[in-house]
Amino acid sequence: MKRFTKILPILCVPVLLATAACSSTGNKEDTKNEVDTPVETLYTNAAAAMDAQNYREATRLFQEVERQHPYSEWAVRAELMAAYAQYSSMRYDEAILSLDRFVELHPGHKDIDYALYLKALCFYEQISDVARDQYMTDESLKAFDTLIRRFPDSRYTRDAILKRDLTLDHLAGKEMEIGRYYLTRGEINASINRFRVVVRDYQTTTHVPEALHRLVEAYITLGLTDEATRVAAVLGYNYPGSPWYEDTYELLDPAMRQKIMDERGFVDRTVDSLFKPN
């Protein structure tokens, strides 16, 4: 999947150097710290490397901030920026490990929501086409759900919801692809199972009208006209202007069409009604 977003580093704003010296807890009289690079120099150089899109060097320098000045305020900030540099250079596995470590070490940090969002993006931007394995899609969905559940008011949640919906649409597309494959091979029951998953689990996606149409097609193939008519009624009620309903209507015989037109034929025409016991 193409990179839909290029998030800005929220922590890469240069900090006044006048405050930098106060942030380091290093003891100048300590022999070890005499060979350390001043924290403000390291961080400023790392930020400059980010600006120059030299992400590997930025990662190294941010990690040096943490290594040389582990107890400073700068170290925590640098941890997250190192992960962002890894993300920016598409080293997603490294970024995910860094972000998991950040969340584990700093569970109460004010930027935990950002860390969760960045982790979700690491999975999201590895989503492949629907013909391939959907591990990254599943992981992306779980990561976005974690952010949305834990931080519903975060500045990143609105975008997370949008991307979660796109992720759900992608997963539904995968189910549809498999269902159509089974249908064309005459494995009707297997195709029905796939289409029902789309209708039941991905109701907010764009694939539901087609899934309902394919169910009608499959049920008619099996001679299950009552089931086909019931699904067609649900499709017509919920998606009356859909081209898929037009295609479905063409499949129905006059008796099935009349039953759909009869308002008393089906008391409940919601999508959920298809999964209620008869």
Side-chain angles (χ1 to χ4, degrees):
M1 178 173 285
K2 295 181 180 179
R3 290 170 68 91
F4 282 92
T5 184
K6 181 66 174 178
I7 59 173
L8 295 175
I10 61 170
L11 301 175
C12 202
V13 179
V15 181
L16 292 176
L17 296 184
T19 65
C22 297
S23 299
S24 176
T25 59
N27 185 341
K28 293 183 179 180
E29 297 179 1
D30 189 321
T31 303
K32 175 183 178 300
N33 285 344
E34 287 179 357
V35 298
D36 285 345
T37 304
V39 66
E40 65 272 17
T41 301
L42 276 175
Y43 198 93
T44 300
N45 290 344
M50 283 292 299
D51 290 341
Q53 299 183 1
N54 188 353
Y55 300 124
R56 288 189 178 274
E57 179 64 5
T59 300
R60 186 187 71 80
L61 290 171
F62 282 126
Q63 290 174 340
E64 278 298 298
V65 171
E66 181 187 1
R67 187 185 69 81
Q68 295 187 26
H69 307 276
Y71 303 111
S72 69
E73 177 186 346
W74 295 71
V76 178
R77 187 181 299 121
E79 286 181 54
L80 202 46
M81 283 309 303
Y84 178 75
Q86 291 164 334
Y87 159 83
S88 298
S89 58
M90 293 185 286
R91 289 176 290 152
Y92 298 120
D93 290 345
E94 295 176 43
I96 290 167
L97 289 173
S98 297
L99 291 163
D100 283 342
R101 178 173 176 269
F102 180 88
V103 172
E104 181 180 357
L105 293 177
H106 314 288
H109 194 274
K110 63 182 182 63
D111 292 317
I112 286 293
D113 60 336
Y114 176 79
L116 294 173
Y117 176 67
L118 189 56
K119 178 181 176 180
L121 289 183
C122 288
F123 289 118
Y124 181 79
E125 291 179 1
Q126 295 183 82
I127 293 175
S128 59
D129 62 77
V130 295
R132 300 181 63 185
D133 179 74
Q134 296 303 300
Y135 171 79
M136 292 299 174
T137 314
D138 289 330
E139 291 301 307
S140 173
L141 182 61
K142 288 189 288 187
F144 281 129
D145 280 340
T146 298
L147 170 62
I148 294 165
R149 183 181 68 255
R150 291 185 56 184
F151 300 97
D153 299 321
S154 167
R155 60 185 290 193
Y156 306 106
T157 296
R158 182 174 181 179
D159 189 61
I161 291 172
L162 172 63
K163 287 182 170 57
R164 180 189 63 180
D165 290 344
L166 292 172
T167 301
L168 287 169
D169 204 80
H170 198 81
L171 289 171
K174 180 66 174 181
E175 294 292 333
M176 288 300 301
E177 181 191 47
I178 297 172
R180 287 190 294 265
Y181 172 78
Y182 284 141
L183 191 61
T184 58
R185 289 178 60 86
E187 300 179 38
I188 308 303
N189 287 326
S191 72
I192 287 173
N193 289 336
R194 294 292 181 166
F195 298 138
R196 282 175 64 87
V197 166
V198 173
V199 175
R200 184 188 65 229
D201 296 342
Y202 302 103
Q203 291 187 21
T204 61
T205 71
T206 60
H207 297 280
V208 173
E210 183 187 356
L212 291 168
H213 167 74
R214 299 298 180 187
L215 280 172
V216 173
E217 191 176 4
Y219 285 135
I220 288 177
T221 301
L222 293 177
L224 302 174
T225 57
D226 287 345
E227 286 297 325
T229 307
R230 184 183 179 193
V231 175
V234 170
L235 174 56
Y237 179 78
N238 292 278
Y239 305 96
S242 170
W244 292 111
Y245 180 58
E246 296 177 8
D247 292 345
T248 291
Y249 197 77
E250 292 296 320
L251 294 176
L252 307 180
D253 63 32
M256 296 166 73
R257 294 177 183 176
Q258 184 58 45
K259 190 172 183 180
I260 289 176
M261 298 300 294
D262 185 355
E263 291 294 332
R264 296 170 298 177
F266 299 94
V267 177
D268 187 351
R269 300 189 187 211
T270 65
V271 172
D272 288 338
S273 69
L274 297 177
F275 303 97
K276 295 178 181 178
N278 292 326

